[in-house]
């Protein structure tokens, strides 16, 4: 009898995993959207209407990254990836670089990354450098005026959805950490895993999709995630 392969794990994280590092979430009190209407800063139309405002919103968040560090939850997920003998994929909705800095490599930033920019003309993705703005020339196609944050805005297709879908369809354990379950298609991932897969939600409080998980644990990610590993 061949031993069964080790379970395949998919972890989805949201802003809550970075909250204890000091990065504001979107919807908690004092969250990011409180100061900005989504329509004003996180849609393609907003960028066309006022690229300088959108660049300023993201530059403000990039500046915050210099002051924060990965917390115990980020580090525990990187350790789990290193030590797990089965398939492991970390999908984050976050655009910060805390999972990267914690050492995660089997990592998909489905909503993009603060520290990258993209050319709206040729789609080339480049590292963000201080001073990047609406008139920055694209290093690949040399056109200026098309550089935008490499961020997936509302109404835009999240990144690597095929790879994510494949991993969800094969996973034995799906864990959601620190996400309110308000934004799709990420909030619907729990419904894409095989019947019989174990689904676990780690959050300070129930999310909008808690009822779809087989198990919920309430508490801070910095405590719950290391306890899982
Ligand atoms: C798309 C980048 C389709 C910007 C973001 C049904 C199906 C498909 C789409 C839709 C649908 N219904 C509506 C839509 C459209 C829309 C959507 O979902 N709207 C919502 C508002 C209803 N979705 C989209 O537009 C998506 N695109 O569907 O494309 C398509 C198809 C074909 C062709 C083209 C397109 C794109 C969505 C991506 C938008 N971009 N981010 C930026 O960052 O500036 S979304 C933004 O909100 C963040 O990225 C984040 O990922 C997301 C969700 O927020 P959370 O991470 O959950 O954070 P939140 O503050 O809400 O919650 C924090 C949680 O942490 C809380 O639960 C809290 O309790 C917990 N917490 C706090 N502290 C801790 C903690 N937990 C543990 N420990 C702690 N210490």
């Amino acid at each position: 009898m061949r031993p069964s392969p080790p379970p395949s794990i998919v972890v989805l994280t949201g802003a809550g995993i970075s909250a204890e590092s000091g990065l504001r979430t979107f919807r908690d009190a004092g969250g990011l959207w409180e100061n900005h209407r989504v329509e004003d800063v996180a849609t393609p139309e907003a960028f066309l209407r006022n690229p300088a405002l959108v660049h300023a919103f993201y530059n403000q968040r990039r500046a915050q990254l210099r002051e924060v560090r990965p917390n115990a939850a980020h580090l525990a997920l990187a350790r789990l990836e290193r030590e797990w003998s089965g398939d492991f994929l970390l999908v984050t909705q976050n655009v910060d670089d805390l999972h990267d800095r914690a050492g995660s490599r089997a990592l998909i930033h489905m909503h993009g990354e603060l520290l990258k920019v993209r050319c709206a003309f040729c789609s080339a993705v480049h590292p963000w450098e201080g001073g990047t703005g609406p008139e920055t020339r694209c290093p690949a196609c040399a056109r200026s005026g098309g550089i935008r944050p490499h961020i997936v805005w509302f109404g835009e297709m999240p990144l690597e959805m095929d790879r994510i879908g494949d991993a969800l369809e094969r996973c034995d354990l799906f864990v959601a950490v620190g996400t309110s379950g308000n934004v799709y298609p990420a909030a619907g991932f729990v419904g894409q895993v095989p019947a019989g897969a174990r689904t676990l939600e780690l959050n300070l409080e129930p999310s909008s999709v808690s009822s779809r998980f087989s198990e919920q644990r309430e508490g801070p990610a910095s405590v719950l995630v290391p306890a899982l590993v």
Side-chain angles (χ1 to χ4, degrees):
M1 177 79 155
R2 279 181 22 176
S4 54
S8 163
I9 301 177
V10 175
V11 179
L12 170 70
T13 61
I17 199 170
S18 297
E20 290 166 89
S21 292
L23 289 181
R24 289 192 297 176
T25 66
F26 288 84
R27 294 166 183 82
D28 295 334
L32 276 169
W33 300 136
E34 269 188 4
N35 303 336
H36 299 277
R37 286 174 353 109
V38 167
E39 295 73 18
D40 295 342
V41 289
T43 64
E45 297 74 19
F47 185 66
L48 285 175
R49 191 169 54 242
N50 191 340
L53 170 72
V54 174
H55 274 292
F57 174 62
Y58 288 101
N59 283 335
Q60 177 198 7
R61 291 169 65 189
R62 291 181 181 115
Q64 272 196 346
L65 287 187
R66 287 195 286 270
E67 297 150 26
V68 299
R69 305 166 54 80
N71 63 55
H74 298 103
L75 296 169
L77 289 177
R79 187 168 69 248
L80 176 59
E81 173 189 332
R82 285 194 302 274
E83 295 172 359
W84 191 249
S85 56
D87 290 340
F88 178 91
L89 178 65
L90 172 56
V91 181
T92 187
Q93 299 173 88
N94 300 339
V95 295
D96 63 58
D97 65 339
L98 293 176
H99 282 306
D100 311 73
R101 283 157 59 187
S104 289
R105 292 295 172 266
L107 169 63
I108 293 178
H109 282 274
M110 66 179 288
H111 289 162
E113 298 175 66
L114 268 179
L115 295 182
K116 291 182 181 170
V117 292
R118 183 167 80 236
C119 176
F121 298 125
C122 72
S123 300
V125 175
H126 309 289
W128 171 82
E129 285 156 8
T132 301
E135 289 320 307
T136 303
R137 190 174 296 280
C138 169
C141 72
R143 280 179 280 188
S144 66
I147 290 289
R148 57 165 279 180
H150 182 49
I151 296 286
V152 176
W153 286 322
F154 288 95
E156 295 185 322
M157 180 57 94
L159 305 173
E160 302 212 53
M161 287 300 289
D162 291 344
R163 192 172 149 213
I164 295 170
D166 290 345
L168 289 169
E169 285 161 13
R170 289 183 285 107
C171 87
D172 305 292
L173 170 61
F174 176 70
V175 185
V177 186
T179 178
S180 62
N182 285 317
V183 173
Y184 287 82
F189 287 170
V190 62
Q192 292 177 233
V193 303
R198 192 175 156 213
T199 53
L200 169 61
E201 182 179 73
L202 308 181
N203 199 312
L204 281 183
E205 60 188 14
S207 75
S208 305
V209 290
S210 285
S211 60
R212 305 191 64 182
F213 286 81
S214 51
E215 192 184 344
Q216 294 90 22
R217 291 179 196 168
E218 286 194 13
S222 65
V223 171
L224 294 183
V225 178
L228 190 67
V229 175

